[in-house]
Amino acid sequence: MREIELEIEQIKQRSRQNESEAEQRMKQIESETEQLRRENARERALSALIKQHCFPPECNSIPPQPIEIDCGPSLP
């Protein structure tokens, strides 16, 4: 009977240890997820700045038509 009680206690201890390890892992995952979100936000902001500086709005618009100079004969 004592052996069964010891085995049950060992199982309970392993279960508590597994739960503790699972909680620690979840906290680690949450921390890593938050870090990735911050890095992702920084990368999006940097990408927007690069696009803004390397491809300003005037580069994306239709170029204006050149002004044609009238080269016809001048009137006296």
Side-chain angles (χ1 to χ4, degrees):
M1 188 69 167
R2 182 72 181 140
E3 290 177 18
I4 294 174
E5 291 174 354
L6 286 173
E7 189 174 341
I8 290 172
E9 187 58 36
Q10 289 175 345
I11 291 170
K12 287 179 181 180
Q13 286 177 353
R14 277 183 274 169
S15 177
R16 285 190 294 266
Q17 182 179 355
N18 287 341
E19 287 176 7
S20 175
E21 289 173 358
E23 287 177 20
Q24 289 175 355
R25 181 66 182 132
M26 284 300 296
K27 287 179 183 178
Q28 182 181 4
I29 290 171
E30 289 171 358
S31 174
E32 290 172 357
T33 300
E34 184 58 33
Q35 182 180 359
L36 288 172
R37 283 186 183 131
R38 284 191 303 262
E39 289 176 9
N40 205 6
R42 271 187 251 133
E43 287 176 9
R44 284 193 308 269
L46 181 58
S47 178
L49 285 173
I50 290 170
K51 287 178 183 177
Q52 180 182 4
H53 290 286
C54 294
F55 307 103
E58 61 270 7
C59 291
N60 296 329
S61 64
I62 299 172
Q65 294 295 327
I67 299 173
E68 293 185 28
I69 300 173
D70 183 11
C71 295
S74 54
L75 297 173

